[in-house]
Coordinates of all heavy atoms in Angstrom, one line a residue:
R1 N -24.2 98.7 -10.9 CA -23.2 98.0 -11.7 C -22.9 96.6 -11.0 O -22.8 96.6 -9.8 CB -21.9 98.8 -11.8 CG -22.0 100.0 -12.8 CD -20.6 100.6 -13.0 NE -20.6 101.7 -13.9 CZ -20.9 103.0 -13.6 NH1 -21.1 103.3 -12.3 NH2 -20.9 103.9 -14.5
P2 N -22.7 95.6 -11.8 CA -22.3 94.3 -11.2 C -20.8 94.4 -10.7 O -20.1 95.3 -11.1 CB -22.3 93.3 -12.4 CG -22.1 94.2 -13.6 CD -22.8 95.5 -13.3
G3 N -20.5 93.6 -9.7 CA -19.2 93.7 -9.1 C -18.3 92.5 -9.2 O -18.8 91.4 -9.5
I4 N -17.0 92.7 -8.9 CA -16.1 91.6 -8.8 C -16.4 90.7 -7.6 O -16.3 89.5 -7.6 CB -14.7 92.1 -8.8 CG1 -14.3 92.8 -10.1 CG2 -13.7 90.9 -8.5 CD1 -12.9 93.4 -10.1
T5 N -16.8 91.4 -6.5 CA -17.3 90.7 -5.3 C -18.5 91.3 -4.9 O -18.9 92.4 -5.3 CB -16.2 90.7 -4.2 OG1 -16.7 89.9 -3.1 CG2 -16.0 92.1 -3.7
G6 N -19.2 90.7 -4.0 CA -20.5 91.2 -3.5 C -21.0 90.7 -2.2 O -20.3 89.8 -1.6
W7 N -22.1 91.1 -1.8 CA -22.7 90.7 -0.5 C -23.0 89.2 -0.5 O -22.8 88.5 0.5 CB -24.0 91.4 -0.2 CG -24.5 91.3 1.2 CD1 -25.8 90.9 1.5 CD2 -23.9 91.5 2.4 NE1 -26.0 90.9 2.9 CE2 -24.8 91.3 3.5 CE3 -22.6 91.9 2.8 CZ2 -24.5 91.4 4.8 CZ3 -22.3 92.0 4.2 CH2 -23.3 91.8 5.1
A8 N -23.4 88.6 -1.6 CA -23.7 87.2 -1.7 C -22.3 86.4 -1.6 O -22.3 85.3 -1.1 CB -24.4 86.8 -3.0
Q9 N -21.3 87.0 -2.2 CA -20.0 86.2 -2.2 C -19.4 86.1 -0.8 O -18.7 85.2 -0.5 CB -19.0 87.0 -3.1 CG -19.2 86.7 -4.6 CD -20.6 87.0 -5.1 OE1 -21.0 88.2 -4.9 NE2 -21.3 86.1 -5.6
V10 N -19.6 87.1 0.1 CA -19.1 87.0 1.4 C -20.0 86.4 2.4 O -19.7 86.2 3.6 CB -18.7 88.4 1.9 CG1 -17.6 89.0 1.1 CG2 -19.9 89.4 2.0
N11 N -21.2 85.9 1.9 CA -22.1 85.2 2.7 C -22.5 83.8 2.1 O -23.6 83.4 2.2 CB -23.4 86.0 2.8 CG -23.3 87.2 3.8 OD1 -23.4 87.0 5.0 ND2 -23.1 88.4 3.2
G12 N -21.4 83.2 1.6 CA -21.6 81.8 1.1 C -21.1 81.5 -0.3 O -20.7 80.4 -0.6
R13 N -21.0 82.6 -1.2 CA -20.5 82.4 -2.5 C -21.1 81.2 -3.2 O -22.3 81.1 -3.3 CB -19.0 82.3 -2.4 CG -18.3 82.5 -3.8 CD -16.8 82.5 -3.7 NE -16.1 82.7 -5.0 CZ -14.8 82.8 -5.1 NH1 -14.0 82.7 -4.1 NH2 -14.3 83.0 -6.4
N14 N -20.3 80.2 -3.7 CA -20.9 79.1 -4.5 C -21.5 78.0 -3.6 O -22.0 77.1 -4.1 CB -19.8 78.5 -5.3 CG -19.3 79.4 -6.4 OD1 -20.0 80.4 -6.7 ND2 -18.1 79.2 -6.9
A15 N -21.4 78.2 -2.3 CA -21.9 77.2 -1.4 C -23.4 77.4 -1.0 O -24.0 76.6 -0.3 CB -21.1 77.1 -0.1
I16 N -24.0 78.5 -1.5 CA -25.4 78.8 -1.2 C -26.2 78.7 -2.4 O -25.7 78.6 -3.5 CB -25.6 80.1 -0.5 CG1 -25.1 81.3 -1.5 CG2 -24.9 80.2 0.8 CD1 -25.3 82.7 -0.9
S17 N -27.6 78.6 -2.3 CA -28.5 78.4 -3.4 C -28.5 79.7 -4.2 O -28.2 80.8 -3.7 CB -29.9 78.0 -2.9 OG -30.5 79.1 -2.2
W18 N -29.0 79.6 -5.5 CA -29.2 80.7 -6.3 C -30.3 81.6 -5.7 O -30.1 82.9 -5.7 CB -29.6 80.3 -7.7 CG -28.5 79.8 -8.6 CD1 -28.2 78.5 -8.8 CD2 -27.6 80.6 -9.3 NE1 -27.1 78.5 -9.6 CE2 -26.7 79.7 -10.0 CE3 -27.4 82.0 -9.4 CZ2 -25.7 80.2 -10.8 CZ3 -26.4 82.4 -10.3 CH2 -25.5 81.6 -10.9
K19 N -31.3 81.1 -5.2 CA -32.4 81.9 -4.6 C -31.8 82.8 -3.4 O -32.1 84.0 -3.4 CB -33.5 81.0 -4.0 CG -34.6 81.8 -3.4 CD -35.7 80.8 -2.8 CE -36.8 81.6 -2.2 NZ -37.9 80.7 -1.6
K20 N -30.9 82.2 -2.6 CA -30.3 83.0 -1.5 C -29.4 84.0 -2.1 O -29.4 85.2 -1.6 CB -29.6 82.0 -0.6 CG -29.0 82.7 0.6 CD -30.1 83.3 1.5 CE -29.5 83.9 2.8 NZ -30.5 84.5 3.6
K21 N -28.7 83.7 -3.1 CA -27.8 84.7 -3.7 C -28.6 85.9 -4.2 O -28.2 87.1 -4.0 CB -27.0 84.1 -4.9 CG -25.9 83.1 -4.5 CD -25.3 82.6 -5.8 CE -24.3 81.5 -5.4 NZ -23.7 80.9 -6.7
F22 N -29.7 85.6 -4.9 CA -30.5 86.7 -5.4 C -31.1 87.6 -4.3 O -31.2 88.8 -4.4 CB -31.7 86.2 -6.3 CG -31.2 85.5 -7.5 CD1 -31.9 84.4 -8.1 CD2 -30.1 85.9 -8.2 CE1 -31.5 83.8 -9.2 CE2 -29.7 85.3 -9.4 CZ -30.4 84.2 -9.9
E23 N -31.5 87.0 -3.2 CA -32.0 87.7 -2.1 C -30.9 88.6 -1.5 O -31.2 89.8 -1.2 CB -32.5 86.8 -1.0 CG -33.8 86.0 -1.4 CD -34.2 85.0 -0.3 OE1 -33.4 84.8 0.6 OE2 -35.2 84.3 -0.5
L24 N -29.7 88.1 -1.4 CA -28.6 88.9 -0.8 C -28.2 90.0 -1.8 O -27.9 91.1 -1.3 CB -27.4 88.0 -0.6 CG -27.6 87.0 0.6 CD1 -26.4 86.0 0.5 CD2 -27.7 87.7 1.9
D25 N -28.3 89.8 -3.1 CA -28.0 90.8 -4.1 C -29.0 92.0 -4.0 O -28.6 93.2 -4.0 CB -28.0 90.2 -5.5 CG -26.8 89.4 -5.8 OD1 -25.8 89.5 -5.1 OD2 -27.0 88.5 -6.7
V26 N -30.2 91.7 -3.9 CA -31.3 92.8 -3.8 C -31.1 93.5 -2.4 O -31.2 94.7 -2.4 CB -32.7 92.2 -3.9 CG1 -33.7 93.2 -3.6 CG2 -32.9 91.6 -5.3
W27 N -30.7 92.8 -1.4 CA -30.4 93.5 -0.1 C -29.3 94.5 -0.3 O -29.4 95.6 0.2 CB -30.1 92.4 1.0 CG -29.9 93.0 2.3 CD1 -30.9 93.2 3.3 CD2 -28.7 93.6 2.9 NE1 -30.4 93.8 4.4 CE2 -29.1 94.1 4.2 CE3 -27.5 93.8 2.4 CZ2 -28.1 94.7 5.0 CZ3 -26.5 94.5 3.2 CH2 -26.9 94.9 4.5
Y28 N -28.3 94.1 -1.0 CA -27.2 95.0 -1.2 C -27.6 96.2 -2.0 O -27.2 97.4 -1.7 CB -26.0 94.3 -2.0 CG -25.0 95.3 -2.4 CD1 -24.0 95.7 -1.5 CD2 -24.9 95.9 -3.7 CE1 -23.0 96.6 -1.9 CE2 -24.0 96.8 -4.1 CZ -23.0 97.1 -3.1 OH -22.1 98.1 -3.5
V29 N -28.4 96.1 -3.0 CA -28.9 97.2 -3.8 C -29.7 98.2 -2.9 O -29.5 99.4 -3.1 CB -29.9 96.7 -4.9 CG1 -30.6 97.9 -5.6 CG2 -29.1 95.9 -6.0
D30 N -30.4 97.7 -1.9 CA -31.2 98.6 -1.0 C -30.3 99.2 0.0 O -30.7 100.2 0.7 CB -32.3 97.8 -0.4 CG -33.4 97.4 -1.3 OD1 -33.6 98.2 -2.3 OD2 -34.2 96.5 -1.1
H31 N -29.1 98.7 0.3 CA -28.3 99.1 1.4 C -26.9 99.6 1.0 O -26.0 99.8 1.9 CB -28.2 98.0 2.5 CG -29.5 97.7 3.1 ND1 -30.4 96.7 2.5 CD2 -30.1 98.1 4.2 CE1 -31.4 96.6 3.3 NE2 -31.3 97.4 4.3
C32 N -26.7 99.7 -0.3 CA -25.4 100.1 -0.8 C -24.8 101.4 -0.1 O -25.5 102.4 0.0 CB -25.4 100.4 -2.3 SG -23.9 100.9 -3.0
S33 N -23.6 101.3 0.4 CA -23.0 102.4 1.1 C -21.4 102.2 1.0 O -21.0 101.1 0.8 CB -23.4 102.6 2.5 OG -22.9 101.5 3.3
F34 N -20.7 103.3 1.3 CA -19.2 103.2 1.3 C -18.8 102.3 2.4 O -17.9 101.4 2.2 CB -18.7 104.6 1.6 CG -17.2 104.6 1.7 CD1 -16.4 104.3 0.6 CD2 -16.5 105.0 2.9 CE1 -15.0 104.3 0.7 CE2 -15.1 105.0 3.0 CZ -14.4 104.7 1.9

């Protein structure tokens, strides 16, 4: 599910490139945990 916040948001948010955001998002999918 999409989130209100995410791994990309705490690692740059709007200050990083879309490509970097997508990489961080996929990393989260692979490492999701409590």
